Amino acid sequence: MLMKSGCVSCFKSLGVESRIKIYMFLAQNNAENVRTITNFIGLKQPTVSYHLTEMLKSGLLVKKSVGKEVFYSIKNSCPHDSEACCITIARQVAE
């Protein structure tokens, strides 16, 4: 699989330690709400929300509202084309 130019955005987003921790947490737990992610990561809720927003912008995550809660999960398809995400593939190979 060739790296695409859009991959740079995803890898750049994961270059922040807190974001890689959030990404790995979501990889192990599927979908979680902000409160659960905040409790896991040990940062304040506004900081976690900022990281989640940046990860959403880069296309790494998707969010789903259920009532008043918002759940975040990893987007398995590439946000830049219709192929599988190289980060998701690498994670699956590592497991």
Side-chain angles (χ1 to χ4, degrees):
M1 172 200 276
L2 288 173
M3 293 282 286
K4 302 166 285 273
S5 61
C7 295
V8 173
S9 173
C10 294
F11 282 112
K12 183 178 177 183
S13 182
L14 289 176
V16 177
E17 184 178 0
S18 297
R19 293 183 197 160
I20 194 74
K21 287 180 182 177
I22 291 168
Y23 186 88
M24 295 307 294
F25 178 71
L26 291 174
Q28 294 172 350
N29 296 286
N30 298 322
E32 293 291 350
N33 63 24
V34 176
R35 179 182 298 136
T36 303
I37 297 168
T38 300
N39 289 339
F40 168 77
I41 201 78
L43 297 172
K44 295 184 185 239
Q45 184 272 327
T47 303
V48 172
S49 291
Y50 170 76
H51 288 312
L52 291 168
T53 299
E54 292 300 308
M55 294 170 77
L56 280 167
K57 285 180 188 176
S58 70
L60 289 169
L61 303 180
V62 293
K63 69 179 183 176
K64 178 181 177 183
S65 297
V66 178
K68 292 183 179 182
E69 288 192 288
V70 178
F71 289 84
Y72 294 85
S73 59
I74 293 174
K75 183 174 184 178
N76 291 319
S77 61
C78 178
H80 308 286
D81 61 35
S82 60
E83 296 180 24
C85 176
C86 66
I87 296 172
T88 301
I89 291 170
R91 188 183 81 240
Q92 291 169 348
V93 169
E95 293 173 350

